[in-house]
Amino acid sequence: MAIVEFSGVTKRFRNTVALREASFTIPERSITAFLGPNGAGKTTSMKLIMGFLRPTKGNLTVFGEDPFRREEVRKRIGFMPEKPVYPMDLPVEDFLEHLARLRKVGKTDLNRLVRLVGLEKVLDTKIGELSRGYIQRVGIAQSLLGDPELLVLDEPTANLDPASRREILELLKLLHKELRVSMIISSHIIPELQEVSSYCVFIDKGMVLDYGYLGDLWKKYMTEAVFTIETRDINTLARILIEKPYIKLVKKVDKSLLEVAVEPEYYKSFEGLLSELGQIVTGFSFKTASLGDLYGKIVGSRS
Ligand SMILES: Nc1ncnc2c1ncn2[C@@H]1O[C@H](COP(=O)(O)OP(=O)(O)OP(=O)(O)O)[C@@H](O)[C@H]1O
Ligand SMILES: [Mg+2]
């Protein structure tokens, strides 16, 4: 079932058209990536979903209802804005307790959330003294207060160093698994969302260029996914791989390296197979089938 549905949504700010006749759906329980360059319309789409903005033209629903008109819908969505403002002098605990009271969240639920998001150790620290990574955790915790069914995170990894980015993405994966909450995450750093998201909406210059499950988009845009595989037994591995109907090409690069082309919709099963073959497979990497390539095909070719 679709939890978000845009049909022909246009959003205009004075002379700027931020979103132009956008139509797309988002399925329940997915982690959806909103991908597009600066100014594409990602934040505008999120604000429309949150019911903060009203479309200039067209219709959109969240959980089947209009989020601009229906407060009950907004209560089911958690939001972390692009540039949140926090009371920097306040310890983490005071801030979260304050918000919990406002949203009628009990102490037990708050404690559970604090543990899950990894904030126990910094409860007494003033928000202004936290590292950026921990400030993002505070943002994620506040967006989860009240048990939302949909979490909308606007550039949650912006301005973080690579290690903190990884940590935040791992945390989001964990939260998705533990809380079974649907998520929408925006980013203009394309490759980083490859591992976390299963569904994508590609936006550029206010237009939704395409959307769907990654596997389906791969099938549509990429003719094959190419992997480079490192192995300690190249002959056995080549024999096993050649027999798989979804493998289109097996090529020896040198005595321990194989290049393998897989039908793109099977790339997940292929990754599964490689881990089963852990005895002889010592490493592997994507050569072409990455989110970046997909992005290049869908968005890059236009600009
Ligand atoms: N309140 C506003 N008033 C006027 N123009 C706006 C407003 N909000 C957004 N815009 C414009 O709409 C367009 C889309 O902006 P939006 O913030 O949705 O893009 P974005 O994809 O989130 O970009 P970024 O990656 O930079 O965050 C931009 O040209 C922006 O300048
Ligand atoms: Mg934005």
Side-chain angles (χ1 to χ4, degrees), residues 13 16 18 36-44 82 155 188:
F13 298 104
T16 314
N38 288 128
K42 305 181 293 294
T43 299
T44 302
E82 200 169 7
E155 308 252 2
H188 59 265

Side-chain angles (χ1 to χ4, degrees), residues 96-146:
L96 290 177
E97 276 179 354
H98 178 72
L99 289 181
R101 271 195 302 277
L102 284 178
R103 296 191 210 164
K104 302 193 170 50
V105 173
K107 187 83 183 139
T108 331
D109 286 341
L110 177 60
N111 288 345
R112 192 174 73 100
L113 187 60
V114 160
R115 265 199 312 279
L116 200 58
V117 179
L119 285 170
E120 315 101 302
K121 279 192 237 137
V122 296
L123 281 175
D124 297 331
T125 312
K126 287 182 180 170
I127 296 176
E129 288 164 10
L130 294 174
S131 67
R132 283 177 193 270
Y134 272 98
I135 291 187
Q136 290 306 73
R137 284 175 196 258
V138 172
I140 292 168
Q142 70 76 24
S143 70
L144 280 169
L145 283 170

Side-chain angles (χ1 to χ4, degrees), residues 1 18 24 30 42 60 79 85 87 98 100 111 113 118 137-138 155 163 195 226-227 258 269 296-297:
M1 200 196 93
F24 64 89
S30 62
K42 305 181 293 294
L60 72 113
F79 181 52
V85 179
H98 178 72
N111 288 345
L113 187 60
R137 284 175 196 258
V138 172
E155 308 252 2
E195 270 176 63
V226 179
F227 287 79
L258 275 183
S269 359
K297 290 239 171 166

Side-chain angles (χ1 to χ4, degrees), residues 115-222:
R115 265 199 312 279
L116 200 58
V117 179
L119 285 170
E120 315 101 302
K121 279 192 237 137
V122 296
L123 281 175
D124 297 331
T125 312
K126 287 182 180 170
I127 296 176
E129 288 164 10
L130 294 174
S131 67
R132 283 177 193 270
Y134 272 98
I135 291 187
Q136 290 306 73
R137 284 175 196 258
V138 172
I140 292 168
Q142 70 76 24
S143 70
L144 280 169
L145 283 170
D147 249 341
E149 291 155 70
L150 169 64
L151 199 56
V152 179
L153 305 166
D154 199 355
E155 308 252 2
T157 60
N159 302 316
L160 297 180
D161 61 45
S164 316
R165 274 174 194 278
R166 276 247 58 83
E167 276 178 32
I168 294 297
L169 292 173
E170 287 302 322
L171 173 64
L172 295 178
K173 274 204 277 192
L174 173 89
L175 294 170
H176 179 251
K177 202 170 121 217
E178 293 284 319
L179 304 173
R180 315 202 61 196
V181 59
S182 306
M183 290 185 181
I184 303 174
I185 307 175
S186 67
S187 180
H188 59 265
I189 299 163
I190 311 310
E192 72 175 9
L193 293 188
Q194 171 148 353
E195 270 176 63
V196 289
S197 60
S198 55
Y199 195 90
C200 278
V201 180
F202 288 89
I203 312 175
D204 185 29
K205 301 188 182 78
M207 281 177 285
V208 170
L209 303 181
D210 212 341
Y211 63 94
Y213 285 102
L214 273 179
D216 294 337
L217 292 171
W218 261 310
K219 199 161 137 189
K220 182 165 166 190
Y221 289 93
M222 314 296 281

Side-chain angles (χ1 to χ4, degrees), residues 76-91:
R76 297 163 70 183
I77 319 173
F79 181 52
M80 182 165 88
E82 200 169 7
K83 298 188 185 94
V85 179
Y86 300 113
M88 291 299 183
D89 294 335
L90 222 56

